Amino acid sequence: MDLTQFVEHHNGISVIRGGETVRSWNGISYQAGLSAKNVKATHLSMNVATVPPGGVAYAHVHVGFEVMLFILKGRVRHEFGDRLKQSVENSAGDFIYIEPAVPHEVFNMSDTEPVVAVVARSDADEWAHIAAYDRETGVVGDVVPQE
């Protein structure tokens, strides 16, 4: 998808107005955000993610980049660590930081309400460096293809 179509460029400032949901990956829908795909970003990307009611973003690892989230709406549970044996729950108003290489799987805790979060990454390529994780074996797999 050509993400440049959503951006206004103004001499060093780029703007997306009222980003609409335009794509999905790993069970999560994303609004048009900012990344190297549509601006001159070299170290950052940011967008708004929605996990549908009862949705799951399957186990994965961020290879070489950090992620910060701010939960705008809903309740989410991250199962994380070796074989995803630990968990933490968060709700609207919470900030979350995920270190590089921490295996995790994301669950929307509601069957009726979506989770909506602002997602910022220290990788301008967004999803290009995310690898699958097998919760049974603890093995990090190949990079997950993008949609």
Side-chain angles (χ1 to χ4, degrees):
M1 163 172 279
D2 177 15
L3 296 175
T4 61
Q5 65 183 318
F6 303 105
V7 182
E8 297 173 12
H9 296 284
H10 303 277
N11 295 321
I13 294 180
S14 298
V15 176
I16 294 178
R17 298 188 188 275
E20 59 186 81
T21 299
V22 296
R23 60 199 174 131
S24 63
W25 179 85
N26 195 19
I28 301 175
S29 297
Y30 290 90
Q31 290 183 6
L34 300 172
S35 71
K37 295 177 182 191
N38 57 7
V39 296
K40 294 180 180 179
T42 58
H43 301 289
L44 299 171
S45 62
M46 188 169 93
N47 52 27
V48 175
T50 300
V51 183
V56 178
Y58 294 103
H60 61 281
V61 171
H62 305 150
V63 179
F65 68 95
E66 301 166 300
V67 172
M68 290 185 177
L69 303 103
F70 178 72
I71 306 299
L72 296 168
K73 179 179 179 181
R75 292 178 42 234
V76 65
R77 180 178 74 248
H78 282 82
E79 294 181 1
F80 65 96
D82 182 40
R83 299 195 172 142
L84 310 182
K85 292 181 181 178
Q86 302 174 68
S87 70
V88 63
E89 296 179 6
N90 296 96
S91 58
D94 289 353
F95 287 89
I96 302 166
Y97 169 70
I98 302 173
E99 295 179 14
V102 173
H104 59 286
E105 190 164 72
V106 182
F107 298 85
N108 182 339
M109 296 173 60
S110 172
D111 290 329
T112 59
E113 298 292 322
V115 170
V116 180
V118 174
V119 183
R121 300 171 192 83
S122 64
D123 186 344
D125 290 327
E126 297 181 308
W127 311 320
H129 303 112
I130 298 177
Y133 181 79
D134 186 317
R135 71 183 304 139
E136 300 301 318
T137 64
V139 173
V140 176
D142 293 331
V143 170
V144 179
Q146 298 179 35
E147 292 178 23

